[in-house]
Amino acid sequence: MIPLGIDPAVKKHALAYRTGKVWNYHYSDKDELEEDLMLAKTLSGVTDVFYEGPYLATFGIAKRPNPLTYRVLVELMTETRRVVESCGLIWHEVNPMTWKSACFTMGRYFPKTRDEQKKASLLRASDIVKHEVEDDNLADAICIAEWAERTQG
């Protein structure tokens, strides 16, 4: 299994996957997603897509879930899943706390606030790719792909 991690957003998704020892990570606009997935599949052998599912009110990230925002995120996830499966890739929805708890837990401390989690993601992703990652969405995609490679393969 060669995983591709997606940190979703309405305008563009952050994608990350590894080709041998080299990490590939970038943004993909909605209109470019199918092409980007087919390139990752053809050139790097990507087989599975791990998509960060929508947040609910957990661990202090959202005090109250907004039903309209949640609906938009679910619709986005459904559309992305359609594209992923049309490319012949295997779809996996990942709960944000699942990959984060596996990537961020150091000792007994887990970063609770969104800002702490963003910083932890940047540090972890920089460690994974062996140079500084400055964008927290790309960092999340890298962490998701690395988590999937390490725990789901």
Side-chain angles (χ1 to χ4, degrees), residues 61-73:
I61 292 188
K63 300 299 180 200
R64 285 190 324 241
N66 180 325
L68 296 175
T69 301
Y70 187 75
R71 180 176 163 216
V72 168
L73 292 174

Side-chain angles (χ1 to χ4, degrees), residues 50 94 98-100 102-103 128 142-152:
F50 290 81
V94 182
T98 300
W99 73 264
K100 286 182 178 188
C103 287
I128 292 166
I142 292 165
C143 290
I144 292 166
E146 189 273 340
W147 166 84
E149 190 175 76
R150 187 168 34 88
T151 65
Q152 304 299 303

Side-chain angles (χ1 to χ4, degrees), residues 80-107:
T80 303
R81 182 176 184 164
R82 184 196 64 72
V83 173
V84 166
E85 290 177 343
S86 75
C87 291
L89 298 167
I90 301 168
W91 171 268
H92 305 268
E93 179 185 347
V94 182
N95 182 303
M97 288 303 117
T98 300
W99 73 264
K100 286 182 178 188
S101 63
C103 287
F104 300 163
T105 303
M106 296 162 202

Side-chain angles (χ1 to χ4, degrees), residues 78-139:
T78 303
E79 175 61 21
T80 303
R81 182 176 184 164
R82 184 196 64 72
V83 173
V84 166
E85 290 177 343
S86 75
C87 291
L89 298 167
I90 301 168
W91 171 268
H92 305 268
E93 179 185 347
V94 182
N95 182 303
M97 288 303 117
T98 300
W99 73 264
K100 286 182 178 188
S101 63
C103 287
F104 300 163
T105 303
M106 296 162 202
R108 294 178 179 243
Y109 174 74
F110 181 83
K112 291 182 177 47
T113 68
R114 190 169 177 119
D115 283 343
E116 288 175 349
Q117 289 179 16
K118 285 180 181 185
K119 288 177 186 172
S121 180
L122 289 165
L123 289 171
R124 177 77 173 137
S126 296
D127 185 52
I128 292 166
V129 302
K130 308 290 188 240
H131 62 83
E132 187 176 4
V133 176
E134 297 179 356
D135 181 286
D136 61 278
N137 298 310
L138 292 171

